[in-house]
Amino acid sequence: MQRVLQNKTFLKLWIGNLASGFGDVLYDVAVVWYITEKTGSATKAGGVALAVMLGKILGGLSVSFSINRIPSKYIMVGSDLIRVLALGYLWYAFHHNPSLDLMYFYIIGFFIAFFTAWFSPVRNKIIPVIIKDPELLVKANTFDGSSGAIIMISSWFLGGIIVALFGIYDTIIVDLFTFVISTLMVLWAKWEDDIKDIADTSFRKTINSYKELKKNKLLTKIVSVETLYLILCGFFWAAIPIKIKELGGGATLFGLQGSFFGLGFLLSSIYFGYKKNINIGKTYKNGISIHWLGNFLASISWLPIGWIVGVFIAGLGNTPYAVSRQTIYQTQTNTENRGNFYAIIEMLSNAVLFPAWLLGSILTDQWSATQVMSITIGLQFIILLYIYSIKELKNINSEK
């Protein structure tokens, strides 16, 4: 782990990603809870998910044309600056009209998501360029995953507290400055782009890359099960605000549960950061199983403490699950296809996740949060059984 931290470029990008990711989650937490409290409707809160879905799909599609043509730093800095401007406009509009129409929040959510879809694939693409030693790649991904844990711990908790105590206005100000910090860190970092090696950045190039990736059986299976699992996660997540209300909680519990998920995420990140001889295939299967177990325990809870425990366990499973998945993606793609692959994954993930979130919101309004979660957990268990049957996962060598 110390060798990873000695890479100054990686460390700067990690800090920038920490700030940028904090801003992304903080906006979602604050706005979703603000709309839920204001309207009492999971469907209207789900409108944020729809806006984010459209933003990330269109952003992912557009970045596929430029990811190998425009220098990575230009894309990342530009994405951050535009998100700063979008939040600045929202802050200005909300300052002059505290009864701002919900459409403003949807539109700003769209722009934030659009340029997050530019930022994320580019960043994922350059990590293997910065960390060239295969032995350090898993460690780097683990440490990188810890930023997600820190984001979960801080942004969910702070988002809930700020909205509860001060309202959404102050949250927008904090959110704006997170992207300013990200911009400064990316500008400070230095790395060598590989855009000069790839001339064809047409849409046909993206399609051809997709066809090449389909020839990899392991990659095809993992992407397929991840897509199905993500759809069901969308249903589960849509029911969370109403589940919190069913448990008698408010904005504080809504933020606190995200913090406990992040705490579990962080603890397992520390563990895997120092663990040796990691078998990627086994780690992937065990991680997603623990993640599912935590969701199951949370869904059947009838007390806030039971919900928190379940969420914490899900967080413990998230690190081995997410890190092994990321490593599979990186090791199963080559330099030429990796950028387009992440652009495709970004589009695919959001194309299925956020419609599922919106439909889950509608079903939650019609039924109950517990019913929606129970059905989701049952279907996810079937996916787990299939994952354990994937033979190719056994053939991934352990990292030494």
Side-chain angles (χ1 to χ4, degrees):
M1 183 64 74
Q2 185 177 0
R3 292 173 61 192
V4 173
L5 296 178
Q6 288 174 346
N7 188 314
K8 294 182 179 179
T9 298
F10 176 81
L11 185 59
K12 292 169 187 174
L13 290 179
W14 180 82
I15 295 172
N17 184 60
L18 184 67
S20 178
F22 183 95
D24 284 335
V25 177
L26 185 61
Y27 184 86
D28 293 341
V29 171
V31 173
V32 167
W33 187 255
Y34 171 76
I35 294 175
T36 301
E37 281 284 277
K38 184 176 181 179
T39 66
S41 171
T43 302
K44 290 183 179 180
V48 178
L50 178 61
V52 170
M53 171 202 73
L54 293 175
K56 288 197 173 183
I57 290 175
L58 295 177
L61 180 62
S62 59
V63 77
S64 65
F65 294 103
S66 56
I67 196 168
N68 293 319
R69 176 179 294 171
I70 302 174
S72 303
K73 181 171 290 190
Y74 291 0
I75 295 177
M76 295 171 73
V77 170
S79 299
D80 277 338
L81 289 177
I82 292 174
R83 287 182 285 185
V84 168
L85 292 175
L87 286 166
Y89 175 77
L90 180 62
W91 173 81
Y92 176 81
F94 199 71
H95 176 73
H96 288 276
N97 182 14
S99 300
L100 201 63
D101 190 273
L102 296 182
M103 186 58 65
Y104 280 84
F105 295 98
Y106 298 151
I107 293 174
I108 297 301
F110 170 86
F111 277 103
I112 291 176
F114 185 94
F115 289 102
T116 295
W118 278 59
F119 187 96
S120 299
V122 173
R123 186 180 177 281
N124 288 331
K125 171 194 171 185
I126 63 176
I127 288 179
V129 175
I130 296 170
I131 306 294
K132 298 182 182 296
D133 188 344
E135 294 184 9
L136 294 180
L137 188 57
V138 175
K139 302 296 183 184
N141 285 331
T142 300
F143 187 72
D144 196 44
S146 69
S147 64
I150 295 171
I151 289 167
M152 281 291 181
I153 292 173
S154 57
S155 59
W156 278 80
F157 179 72
L158 290 177
I161 293 296
I162 291 174
V163 172
L165 296 181
F166 306 108
I168 195 169
Y169 181 73
D170 290 329
T171 309
I172 296 172
I173 297 175
V174 175
D175 200 6
L176 186 152
F177 279 100
T178 63
F179 293 112
V180 173
I181 294 172
S182 176
T183 302
L184 295 175
M185 288 296 104
V186 174
L187 285 172
W188 194 14
K190 296 181 180 180
W191 67 88
E192 184 176 345
D193 267 310
D194 58 354
I195 58 172
K196 61 188 178 205
D197 299 326
I198 304 172
D200 185 1
T201 58
S202 64
F203 183 68
R204 179 176 295 179
K205 173 67 180 179
T206 302
I207 298 300
N208 289 337
S209 296
Y210 174 70
K211 291 179 179 178
E212 287 296 318
L213 293 169
K214 283 186 67 177
K215 297 178 182 179
N216 186 314
K217 292 183 178 180
L218 174 59
L219 205 58
T220 300
K221 291 179 179 179
I222 294 298
V223 170
S224 298
V225 297
E226 282 291 324
T227 301
L228 292 173
Y229 195 81
L230 199 57
I231 290 173
L232 295 173
C233 282
F235 281 85
F236 189 94
W237 295 336
I240 288 178
I242 304 302
K243 178 69 175 181
I244 295 294
K245 282 199 163 188
E246 290 178 2
L247 294 173
T252 301
L253 180 60
F254 184 64
L256 192 62
Q257 55 100 25
S259 296
F260 270 88
F261 180 89
L263 179 60
F265 194 173
L266 181 61
L267 292 176
S268 57
S269 293
I270 294 172
Y271 171 75
F272 277 93
Y274 291 96
K275 182 178 173 60
K276 298 180 179 180
N277 302 324
I278 300 175
N279 184 288
I280 301 302
K282 183 178 180 181
T283 301
Y284 177 77
K285 290 185 287 188
N286 291 344
I288 196 170
S289 297
I290 297 171
H291 182 267
W292 175 87
L293 176 62
N295 286 342
F296 169 73
L297 294 175
S299 68
I300 63 174
S301 64
W302 65 90
L303 293 173
I305 186 64
W307 173 262
I308 292 296
V309 170
V311 167
F312 174 75
I313 293 174
L316 287 175
N318 200 67
T319 293
Y321 165 44
V323 168
S324 55
R325 179 188 60 206
Q326 178 81 325
T327 304
I328 290 172
Y329 286 169
Q330 290 171 342
T331 57
Q332 297 295 311
T333 56
N334 55 40
T335 302
E336 182 178 355
N337 287 330
R338 188 175 296 127
N340 284 315
F341 171 75
Y342 277 112
I344 291 169
I345 289 296
E346 189 79 18
M347 286 187 291
L348 180 62
S349 297
N350 292 288
V352 300
L353 173 59
F354 292 104
W357 192 323
L358 184 60
L359 181 56
S361 299
I362 295 172
L363 292 176
T364 301
D365 282 341
Q366 297 297 319
W367 301 340
S368 71
T370 301
Q371 287 177 313
V372 172
M373 288 181 170
S374 298
I375 295 171
T376 298
I377 290 297
L379 294 175
Q380 284 182 332
F381 182 73
I382 297 175
I383 294 176
L384 283 182
L385 295 178
Y386 174 74
I387 289 175
Y388 274 86
S389 71
I390 298 178
K391 296 180 180 179
E392 289 84 358
L393 285 173
K394 299 178 181 179
N395 299 326
I396 302 180
N397 295 327
S398 300
E399 297 289 337
K400 303 284 186 186

